Amino acid sequence: MVVVLALAVSGVAVWRWRSGGTSPPAGSNGGSLASPGPSGSPGGGEPGPINTAFPGLTTFRGNATRDFYGSGPMPSNPHVLWRYPTTGGLCAKSNGSGIGFHAGTRVWCGTGWTGQPNVIPNARGGTEVRIGAFDRAYHFLNGLTGKPMRHDLATGDLAKGSATTDAQGYPLYYGGSRDNLLRVIALDRAKPTVLWSLDAMSAPNPTWNNDWDGAPLEVGDYLMEGGENSYFYIIKLNRRYGLNGLVQVNPKIVMLVPGWDPALLQAIGDDDISIENSPAFDAQRGIVYFANSGGLVQGWDVSDLLAGGTVYRQVFRFWDGDDTDATIVIDPQGDLIVARHIEESFNRTRSGPTDRSIGSLMKLDPRNPGNPVVWSVRAGSDLPDGGMLGTPAYDRGTIYALATDGELVAVEDQTGAVLWRMVGVFTKPTWTSPVAIGGDLLVGDCAGVLRNFDISDPSIQPRERWRVQLSGCIESTPAVWDGMIWVGTRGGSFEPDRRTQMFHLGTPVWQIVVRSLVVYLAVFVGFRLTGKRELGQMTIFDLVLILLIANAVQNAMVGQDVSLQGGLVAAAVLLVVNRLVAEARLRSPLVSRLFEGQPTVLVERGRLLSAHIHRQGLSEEDLWMALREHGIDRLEDVQLAVLETDGSISIVPTSAQTYRSHRPRARAIRKKS
């Protein structure tokens, strides 16, 4: 059974937790370093979760080496079980400007590129799914029903990346936002409560941006995180339980280092050096790895720090040539799987030679810092925005990586041999990270299609087992647990390809009806107040105004909906209301006067009534134009000129023959019965 969770009109496939699980511990000092086996693959055999005391997926890619993707089996015949929210999208307006650049304000919807749900089963047979979304909130949902299990935690801006659940069982949740703040959140209160926060602007020299995109990594009592302010942090949490039984923290920053150096700035020629990936940690060697948007890959020995000391030192530095936002994956030998993207915001001419000499997917040996490239593979385009943004998946000796142009490649980890390539299947841009579990490979694309492939034999190009159509571009990484899949999309007003929402109502029908009625009334009142001129004596300025109004009120009628039936409902409401108004006008003189008003005399017995003309928004030239249309060039020849309720000007000359101006005008046309 698959549950597709629609984060902003999207889905997440989920399987039910069958074996239950142990309750999180009532307390723990949390001071010991996690063992390398269960928390990552180096030296520990098959990858496992970082959380060993209880089941679940607690951080982006599941563990410290970022190669645990959940627990199978994968569903064989999936369908959408529920969506959150049931209608509309998780949307909010946000300004994309940062420290080093300016961008406009627009509406963002759904869940983002680095987002992956946390999945936390409990001993009672339930499952909690925790997500951050673009509606400026973190949500805590029942994994089986999609109903909220806790109050939302509101943030001041987009919750862009993945948050992390405490791996040792403390009721704590760690997550950042575009509002500059990285938060430590307690989940043992009546509502999620922020115990501590870190402002990205508090760094000595914040550079480029102030968002938090990566998923924090909790190792023992320490939290590791890089920010778009281009700094890397390690924070000692000092977790404990108070006398009231509630969790407490007293965080202290014990490591703060810039993610760049002068050599990097000289190499790239710009200051886009933010850290957008999630830190990876080799517990066997005590080294944390991260990279930045300038392409600098770093490794820091923090073993003394995590043992309670104060010493940390850089032990690995490598410039791969360009934007490295995908999270580093550490393979069982301790080598680094790195995916590179070609920066589209700057013309990095100095990066070109390195981009061409090293493929966008590479394996680095950090024990050989002088010449670390074991192998590299070219995948995706070398043009701006080419390469990879999604994090590669490591599974049983094979690397699966998805390029932004939709190319999927499988590479043998030991040799770098390309086993197969798949092109022309996925709708670009493809930013999501593939998920490999038990011989299955999940891959989403920007048409909202989530596919599962058979990789039981990685040496041959896989066949497609099944696909599910969701609403909106899939940027986020799916979370898999015990037969279910949860995945967020960018459904809502921001979609590179809206075809996937053609038949999915994004706004309830009753809302579309009410919205359309209100808009009809508001526009009608507006035109009544502007006078009858707007109907009959239309100028180019009036035409522009009407076109702009039509565009402005479109979203007011249908909200976030972009479906076919939503537009048809709105059109039907307008047609029905217009028909009802027309019938009421014919049957009631009072209604007719209310909707149409009364004729206005503009000229009487050759005398120009200037006050009447100006009150209706006309100029004297408009009147003379109507007179000239019928060969009248003197006011003395006009017995009566009247601005009719439909906006036309009727003229009665002194010769007693009646004329009506033929200027373009809006007029109701009915069939005679």
Side-chain angles (χ1 to χ4, degrees), residues 556-603:
M557 288 192 292
V558 298
Q560 300 296 333
D561 185 83
V562 293
S563 68
L564 177 62
Q565 58 263 51
L568 293 177
V569 168
V573 170
L574 296 178
L575 290 171
V576 170
V577 172
N578 192 66
R579 178 65 180 177
L580 293 176
V581 168
E583 290 295 330
R585 182 179 59 82
L586 292 175
R587 296 175 183 272
S588 170
L590 177 63
V591 173
S592 179
R593 287 195 299 272
L594 176 64
F595 279 87
E596 293 188 338
Q598 294 180 320
T600 301
V601 177
L602 306 178
V603 178

Side-chain angles (χ1 to χ4, degrees), residues 78-293:
H79 62 278
V80 176
L81 182 61
W82 53 265
R83 297 177 183 272
Y84 181 83
T86 54
T87 59
L90 298 170
C91 301
K93 288 184 178 180
S94 180
N95 187 289
S97 298
I99 300 169
F101 64 97
H102 297 283
T105 298
R106 62 183 177 90
V107 174
W108 297 63
C109 289
T111 62
W113 151 68
T114 55
Q116 183 181 30
N118 286 190
V119 181
I120 313 299
N122 59 51
R124 298 179 299 276
T127 301
E128 182 177 359
V129 175
R130 301 169 180 174
I131 61 168
F134 288 169
D135 64 342
R136 303 186 174 197
Y138 284 99
H139 304 272
F140 307 89
L141 309 173
N142 186 313
L144 300 180
T145 66
K147 304 296 183 183
M149 295 184 69
R150 308 175 193 264
H151 292 279
D152 295 341
L153 177 75
T155 60
D157 210 324
L158 312 181
K160 293 174 62 180
S162 298
T164 293
T165 297
D166 190 278
Q168 294 189 325
Y170 283 94
L172 292 170
Y173 189 59
Y174 313 104
S177 169
R178 182 179 264 185
D179 64 2
N180 303 0
L181 299 181
L182 174 68
R183 295 171 171 85
V184 177
I185 304 154
L187 299 179
D188 58 354
R189 275 74 164 172
K191 296 181 179 180
T193 303
V194 177
L195 301 183
W196 180 83
S197 62
L198 172 64
D199 193 328
M201 297 302 293
S202 65
N205 180 28
T207 305
W208 185 249
N209 207 346
N210 42 34
D211 303 359
W212 301 89
D213 270 15
L217 180 62
E218 176 249 316
V219 177
D221 198 33
Y222 294 84
L223 195 68
M224 306 176 181
E225 176 70 316
E228 285 202 46
N229 63 357
S230 308
Y231 277 84
F232 181 78
Y233 299 79
I234 294 184
I235 303 159
K236 192 174 191 308
L237 295 167
N238 294 307
R239 300 165 298 179
R240 62 182 179 85
Y241 286 94
L243 295 177
N244 57 3
L246 300 178
V247 69
Q248 306 290 334
V249 296
N250 184 24
K252 304 293 182 183
I253 298 173
V254 295
M255 175 179 171
L256 174 61
V257 294
W260 79 96
D261 54 30
L264 174 68
L265 297 180
Q266 184 177 7
I268 63 175
D270 59 70
D271 61 353
D272 184 359
I273 49 177
S274 62
I275 301 172
E276 301 187 24
N277 48 27
S278 304
F281 180 64
D282 183 342
Q284 188 175 29
R285 301 179 62 208
I287 300 176
V288 61
Y289 297 97
F290 58 91
N292 68 14
S293 297

